[in-house]
Amino acid sequence: MKDSMKPLSRLETSSIPCTLNGQEISLNVPPAKRLLHILRDDLEMTGTKRSCDIGRCGACMVMVDGVPVNSCLTMAYQCSGKSITTIEGVSAGGMDPIQRAFLEEGGFQCGYCTPGMIISVKALLDHNPDPTPPEIEEALSGNICRCTGYGGIKRAVQKAIEWRREAYESESVHD
Amino acid sequence: MAANAQGVAEAPFVWHPATAAEAWQLKQTLGTEGVYTAGGTLLRTQWEAGLAAMPNHLINVGEIEELHGIHIDCESGTGTLGAMITLSDLRTSPLVHASFPLLTEAARSIAAPSIRNLATIGGNVLSLVGDSLPALLIYDPVLHWHDGSNGLQESLSEWLSTAAVHAAWRERLLIAIELTQPALDSNTKRFVAYHKVGRRDAFTPSVVTAALSVQLDSDNRLSDVRLALGGGQTIPHRLELVEQFLTGKIANKKTITEVYALVVEHYEPKGDAFVPVSYRKKAAANLIASELWKAVR
Ligand SMILES: Cc1cc2nc3c(=O)[nH]c(=O)nc-3n(C[C@H](O)[C@H](O)[C@H](O)COP(=O)(O)OP(=O)(O)OC[C@H]3O[C@@H](n4cnc5c(N)ncnc54)[C@H](O)[C@@H]3O)c2cc1C
Ligand code: FES
Ligand code: FES
């Protein structure tokens, strides 16, 4: 059997190399285990939330190589060699301006959807710092909020865009 | 350890073939115990809903080079999409947008960006009811399969017409989808439209998915009419009878009124507990009629 055809092991764990919030790690888990369960149960990183389990709510959103994916749909082997960012990683260097904007603009009530929302907004603004309203709507179309009616979330996104722009402009002035 | 709805531990073997031949050989060896897996988004839905048990072996087709890549030749108006192209790749590719704009629209309408980052065009096609299908059907699509021999090519329309009843294709590996842009005659313009109508604005199964491409001359005379409908559990197909009816006609109030009635009469969607057949027929007819109005406006 060729090397490429060797299965990753079944009941025993396999070692899957990846980067988690900037740190190189090896996931010693069954290869089809879902990233959501690895994060919450094995690594005790509970910032990523669990709700529908089938990709419909966005509570479990993480970034893989800079783009948002639902960790309840992502299997461990799909993370091999990839860079994963969770909500814990977003705030590793202190509160992210996106998080502050959600706080200041009332972008949450119960807060259950918020980590997933923040991840989706971060993925959007990292790629497109000045999105149009339809682009924002599309980027957040996989994140469901049962509380806010989305008004506060939209304001928070606009505020985050403003703050990031101001920060960029003041950096450019100082350069 | 987490388990799916069937109570099966999430511990299948995962195989990583590097070539189509290896993947196909694995499938031959494993039979129904082994399942080709691309993004895994549809499979996960099926496992969680209890529609299918999680298999003992996943055959990850993501590492097979041949299944990747978008190749478009703008001069000849032809293109090939690897089966592992994600719906996000489709949504954002300027080349796809320039040559096959209905596909950009279709990709935008499927699920949400985070799912599109995993979900592939191959998986969408092989679901038999994917919302990319009406758009693909406009571009004379040909499926390229690996079947253990020299490869098999088959028109998407033909495959769709029998795929629900013949299961032999499930052994094969889909490699790519070949497309051809409709040619444009001189002194004509082309009008294209794609619509997905759901019960909510976003993130909901489609009631009707429609794709339309027509050529119009300066008198609004229609030619090269292509019309595909699907949605929900209806296997998408071209409406050849309606296409023939429209060909050569001038798009005016009379033609559009007649085509509305024709779609209601001849389109045969599948209904469900939420949306009956009669509603789907009317929704489809309304979409076609309103798009034809836009074409001549
Ligand atoms: C929350 C959510 C929302 C969704 N919304 C939509 C929607 O709006 N519209 C829509 O059309 N779909 C939707 N889907 C369904 C699904 O995401 C898409 O159909 C997707 O494109 C499937 O691709 P995949 O790569 O994930 O397929 P997979 O799940 O990996 O595979 C799907 C099927 O194809 C087979 N397969 C995959 N690749 C190959 C290959 N190369 N050769 C042979 N067999 C292969 C698999 O064995 C399996 O049977 C949704 C799914 C979720 C979870
Ligand atoms: S828990 Fe993953 S999308 Fe709902
Ligand atoms: S704040 Fe409660 S679900 Fe969004």
Side-chain angles (χ1 to χ4, degrees):
Chain A
M1 188 186 294
K2 288 183 190 167
D3 268 359
S4 63
M5 286 180 68
K6 282 203 186 110
L8 294 177
S9 66
R10 181 179 160 113
L11 294 170
E12 284 168 46
T13 56
S14 58
S15 189
I16 297 166
C18 61
T19 304
L20 178 60
N21 295 332
Q23 240 189 314
E24 281 179 22
I25 60 162
S26 230
L27 296 173
N28 296 310
V29 294
K33 188 165 189 177
R34 293 194 255 185
L35 180 56
L36 174 63
H37 300 304
I38 298 168
L39 291 171
R40 288 183 59 88
D41 304 341
D42 300 343
L43 301 173
E44 296 182 356
M45 295 171 66
T46 53
T48 303
K49 300 300 176 211
R50 178 186 181 191
S51 182
C52 71
D53 256 358
I54 52 165
R56 296 213 161 256
C57 72
C60 67
M61 204 71 79
V62 299
M63 282 192 275
V64 173
D65 283 352
V67 300
V69 298
N70 307 73
S71 61
C72 68
L73 296 178
T74 309
M75 291 179 267
Y77 78 85
Q78 293 174 306
C79 300
S80 182
K82 305 272 171 72
S83 171
I84 303 158
T85 308
T86 66
I87 189 68
E88 288 88 348
V90 171
S91 55
M95 191 188 290
D96 189 276
I98 299 170
Q99 292 174 301
R100 191 152 60 85
F102 269 72
L103 272 173
E104 291 201 6
E105 292 296 334
F108 67 96
Q109 285 176 26
C110 78
Y112 202 78
C113 69
T114 314
M117 287 281 179
I118 303 270
I119 291 282
S120 289
V121 175
K122 179 148 176 61
L124 168 69
L125 300 188
D126 285 354
H127 282 95
N128 178 3
D130 200 8
T132 60
E135 285 169 342
I136 297 171
E137 210 161 285
E138 184 176 344
L140 295 186
S141 60
N143 293 81
I144 289 175
C145 175
R146 288 286 175 233
C147 303
T148 61
Y150 301 100
I153 292 171
K154 286 183 186 163
R155 285 198 304 278
V157 177
Q158 288 304 341
K159 182 62 84 184
I161 293 169
E162 265 171 49
W163 281 343
R164 285 167 67 110
R165 190 186 301 129
E166 282 165 19
Y168 176 76
E169 282 167 4
S170 75
E171 260 173 42
S172 309
V173 170
H174 289 111
D175 280 350
Chain B
M1 188 182 290
N4 70 4
Q6 311 253 318
V8 179
E10 293 184 342
F13 284 97
V14 182
W15 300 78
H16 303 283
T19 64
E22 285 177 359
W24 185 82
Q25 193 54 56
L26 269 167
K27 179 71 184 144
Q28 293 304 298
T29 310
L30 297 168
T32 51
E33 295 270 290
V35 169
Y36 291 129
T37 308
T41 62
L42 180 64
L43 286 168
R44 174 63 61 185
T45 310
Q46 294 169 345
W47 299 333
E48 293 299 313
L51 298 173
M54 199 175 200
N56 286 328
H57 301 263
L58 301 182
I59 305 168
N60 167 29
V61 300
E63 289 178 17
I64 306 170
E65 190 73 34
E66 288 170 81
L67 270 61
H68 291 267
I70 297 177
H71 304 285
I72 293 180
D73 178 355
C74 296
E75 294 246 312
S76 65
T78 56
T80 310
L81 308 174
M84 272 303 298
I85 293 299
T86 66
L87 299 177
S88 290
D89 294 334
L90 270 191
R91 169 79 184 100
T92 55
S93 161
L95 277 179
V96 170
H97 187 249
S99 299
F100 306 108
L102 293 171
L103 283 182
T104 308
E105 261 316 288
R108 192 181 66 81
S109 81
I110 296 173
S114 54
I115 290 155
R116 301 200 286 262
N117 286 332
L118 292 169
T120 63
I121 185 70
N124 199 263
V125 166
L126 298 180
S127 74
L128 298 183
V129 291
D131 286 312
S132 69
L133 286 164
L136 287 168
L137 283 169
I138 299 298
Y139 299 119
D140 294 333
V142 177
L143 303 179
H144 292 229
W145 302 93
H146 182 91
D147 66 345
S149 63
N150 290 333
L152 179 75
Q153 298 185 11
E154 184 180 26
S155 106
L156 174 62
S157 288
E158 258 169 50
W159 173 72
L160 280 171
S161 67
T162 59
V165 284
H166 298 305
W169 61 269
R170 291 188 189 276
E171 301 292 309
R172 302 180 206 146
L173 180 72
L174 182 66
I175 304 289
I177 305 149
E178 186 188 324
L179 304 170
T180 307
Q181 242 180 345
L184 193 62
D185 294 340
S186 56
N187 299 322
T188 62
K189 64 174 184 180
R190 182 160 294 281
F191 176 86
V192 297
Y194 175 93
H195 270 292
K196 177 178 162 183
V197 176
R199 285 187 297 125
R200 274 185 282 117
D201 220 19
F203 222 28
T204 170
S206 155
V207 170
V208 178
T209 307
L212 170 81
S213 168
V214 294
Q215 191 172 252
L216 297 117
D217 68 12
S218 51
D219 297 327
N220 287 333
R221 193 172 296 281
L222 296 160
S223 54
D224 194 11
V225 179
R226 299 164 186 225
L227 169 57
L229 287 173
Q233 286 307 304
T234 309
I235 295 180
H237 52 279
R238 294 268 293 264
L239 257 69
E240 279 159 20
L241 201 128
V242 179
E243 292 176 352
Q244 281 161 19
F245 167 81
L246 285 171
T247 302
K249 295 243 167 30
I250 294 194
N252 54 23
K253 189 172 177 188
K254 180 171 175 287
T255 306
I256 292 172
T257 309
E258 285 171 355
V259 88
Y260 177 94
L262 215 56
V263 173
V264 170
E265 191 184 342
H266 291 282
Y267 176 48
E268 288 180 1
K270 277 197 184 151
D272 62 22
F274 297 104
V275 190
V277 167
S278 57
Y279 184 90
R280 289 174 196 265
K281 279 172 174 269
K282 280 188 198 160
N286 274 319
L287 278 182
I288 305 297
S290 71
E291 287 306 328
L292 284 173
W293 273 123
K294 283 186 206 159
V296 295
R297 233 186 10 219

